[in-house]
Amino acid sequence: MLATILLALAVHLALGWAWTLAAGIAGGAWARQRGWLVGLVGVAAAWAALVAYNFAIAPDATVRMARTVGGLIGNLPGVAVVGATVLIGAVLGALGGVLGQQARRLWTADRGFFEK
């Protein structure tokens, strides 16, 4: 799990937010079971850490940005924008985790679901 979080942070900072799907894929491939959960928690925790970092470094500007974005997308409160941000990261991580776990099953021929 920690490796997935660190990879998601590194990929997000180096390549951009969309590449955090790769961290979810790696987390799902590393996990023996529940790859979707490893990807979900790993990427969501990384995104939450980045949001918390923004609030710690520039709290006023971050609150203003969250209010502005919330106003643009339907008069949502700023906290909903922050929650939606972390939720998007969680969904990306879960989807990546599923992809990674299925890829692991293909590579290792560990098709327990089909053999039962």
Side-chain angles (χ1 to χ4, degrees):
M1 184 73 66
L2 182 61
T4 305
I5 294 169
L6 293 175
L7 182 60
L9 281 170
V11 170
H12 189 117
L13 293 173
L15 301 173
W17 67 268
W19 286 92
T20 56
L21 179 67
I25 292 171
W30 292 330
R32 298 201 48 81
Q33 294 179 343
R34 295 188 181 128
W36 65 270
L37 185 61
V38 172
L40 183 146
V41 173
V43 176
W47 281 38
L50 290 169
V51 169
Y53 174 78
N54 285 328
F55 274 106
I57 295 301
D60 294 335
T62 306
V63 167
R64 244 179 292 141
M65 182 204 60
R67 283 186 193 147
T68 303
V69 171
L72 289 172
I73 59 174
N75 247 0
L76 292 175
V79 71
V81 172
V82 172
T85 300
V86 175
L87 181 64
I88 290 168
V91 169
L92 271 176
L95 292 174
V98 168
L99 286 172
Q101 189 170 20
Q102 294 304 317
R104 176 193 173 108
R105 286 185 177 171
L106 287 172
W107 292 327
T108 62
D110 180 23
R111 297 181 185 99
F113 177 76
F114 298 110
E115 293 174 4
K116 291 183 183 177

